[in-house]
Amino acid sequence: LVSDDTGNRLRFQLELEFVQCLANPNYLNFLAQRGYFKDKAFVNYLKYLLYWKEPEYAKYLKYPQCLHMLELLQYEHFRKELVNAQCAKFIDEQQILHWQHYSRKRMRLQQALAEQQQQNNTSLK
């Protein structure tokens, strides 16, 4: 018999892992091709999982883009489109482009901040 704390911890871990899997468009395509998105119980489960958008839960996510996918999965049209492998490929490519842009932008911001700090240090001397 599993205690409530152990059961809750296990449920939290399983739901956390599953929600983060939603960030993978190829996994979404896999689910769509196997008919999961046509199952009313599964669609209701996706709706239930929206609680992960709350800050107290979202802080545990390593792949925050999963929340955007979870939001899109609330729409039947999006769920239907995921059956198409080209749709999943497009989403995957867009995510990669976003990460590349974000990484370059972040690097430029960090470089500008380092230069600003260096200028501040030399002006103080």
Side-chain angles (χ1 to χ4, degrees):
L1 195 66
V2 178
S3 74
D4 280 352
D5 279 353
T6 304
N8 288 338
R9 189 168 36 253
L10 180 60
R11 180 177 167 180
F12 176 83
Q13 290 171 339
L14 291 172
E15 290 179 358
L16 172 63
E17 185 175 334
F18 177 73
V19 166
Q20 293 196 109
C21 286
L22 299 179
N24 182 341
N26 296 307
Y27 180 62
L28 297 178
N29 175 249
F30 170 87
L31 293 174
Q33 288 184 346
R34 280 150 187 82
Y36 283 91
F37 297 141
K38 294 177 183 174
D39 179 351
K40 190 159 178 59
F42 191 79
V43 171
N44 286 337
Y45 181 62
L46 293 172
K47 189 173 188 173
Y48 155 77
L49 290 173
L50 286 170
Y51 77 86
W52 282 96
K53 292 175 72 177
E54 299 298 323
E56 69 218 60
Y57 294 100
K59 67 183 178 184
Y60 294 103
L61 297 171
K62 186 173 182 179
Y63 308 105
Q65 66 274 22
C66 68
L67 294 178
H68 184 64
M69 293 299 168
L70 180 60
E71 186 69 39
L72 290 173
L73 285 168
Q74 304 305 310
Y75 299 96
E76 184 178 7
H77 179 72
F78 182 72
R79 294 192 304 266
K80 285 181 178 178
E81 287 296 319
L82 286 169
V83 172
N84 182 349
Q86 284 302 110
C87 177
K89 185 176 190 279
F90 176 77
I91 294 169
D92 194 35
E93 289 169 352
Q94 293 303 305
Q95 283 184 339
I96 290 169
L97 289 171
H98 175 74
W99 290 330
Q100 288 173 339
H101 172 74
Y102 175 80
S103 295
R104 284 193 298 270
K105 185 177 178 182
R106 186 172 179 192
M107 197 177 339
R108 283 194 303 268
L109 288 171
Q110 288 174 333
Q111 188 175 7
L113 181 62
E115 289 171 6
Q116 181 70 40
Q117 288 174 339
Q118 191 174 27
Q119 286 177 351
N120 290 345
N121 289 343
T122 47
S123 66
L124 292 174
K125 290 180 181 179

